[in-house]
Amino acid sequence: MIRDRGRIKWTSMMLPEHVKLLRDWVKEDQYEQQKEMDEQQLELMNEILAEAIEFNQDVTITYYRNRNYEIVIGKIHYWDELSHKLHVVDRFAEVHRISIDAIADIRLTE
């Protein structure tokens, strides 16, 4: 059985540009595609969103940003109708502006 170091063995003989391209290529494999939402999911998210705004409840929002899904937990400060964005203040008092089109899931946090 051949036991070698795999990629590590060859990186010393490669140009730095090639190593960077290989690292970027590995990152691209981890990218996620944005999923399409159907009518029922959108209606359910709309109801949860209205309830969270009305009763000032914490929500967990999963949204698509920079080719990956991210999660924010906090309270919805307000809804900007002109830019179609939610302004969410998380537990660390940091403001997140999330586009409605990028939201994949909204859940009430207990």
Side-chain angles (χ1 to χ4, degrees):
M1 181 150 101
I2 299 174
R3 296 182 57 135
D4 65 343
R5 295 177 291 164
R7 259 191 349 203
I8 297 170
K9 177 179 166 182
W10 297 104
T11 54
S12 63
M13 291 186 274
M14 296 175 72
L15 292 173
E17 294 85 16
H18 295 148
V19 174
K20 182 184 179 311
L21 286 173
L22 284 174
R23 287 187 183 139
D24 291 342
W25 183 54
V26 169
K27 278 185 190 177
E28 285 178 11
D29 286 345
Q30 297 173 353
Y31 291 159
E32 298 180 42
Q33 296 294 322
Q34 189 170 5
K35 298 174 181 115
E36 291 284 326
M37 303 295 288
D38 65 349
E39 285 289 322
Q40 291 177 342
Q41 288 175 327
L42 290 173
E43 188 64 35
L44 180 63
M45 284 182 9
N46 191 24
E47 290 174 8
I48 293 171
L49 184 64
E51 182 180 338
I53 291 172
E54 183 177 348
F55 297 113
N56 198 25
Q57 294 180 329
D58 282 344
V59 290
T60 302
I61 299 176
T62 305
Y63 66 101
Y64 190 75
R65 188 178 101 181
N66 296 334
R67 299 182 184 146
N68 285 317
Y69 284 99
E70 296 185 8
I71 295 175
V72 170
I73 299 173
K75 295 186 188 255
I76 298 172
H77 186 248
Y78 70 92
W79 153 246
D80 186 5
E81 289 187 42
L82 293 176
S83 63
H84 295 288
K85 291 187 178 185
L86 282 178
H87 290 237
V88 179
V89 179
D90 66 5
R91 295 178 180 173
F92 305 108
E94 193 173 320
V95 177
H96 300 271
R97 290 171 183 85
I98 302 170
S99 174
I100 288 293
D101 298 334
I103 294 176
D105 189 30
I106 297 178
R107 296 175 190 239
L108 294 175
T109 305
E110 299 172 3

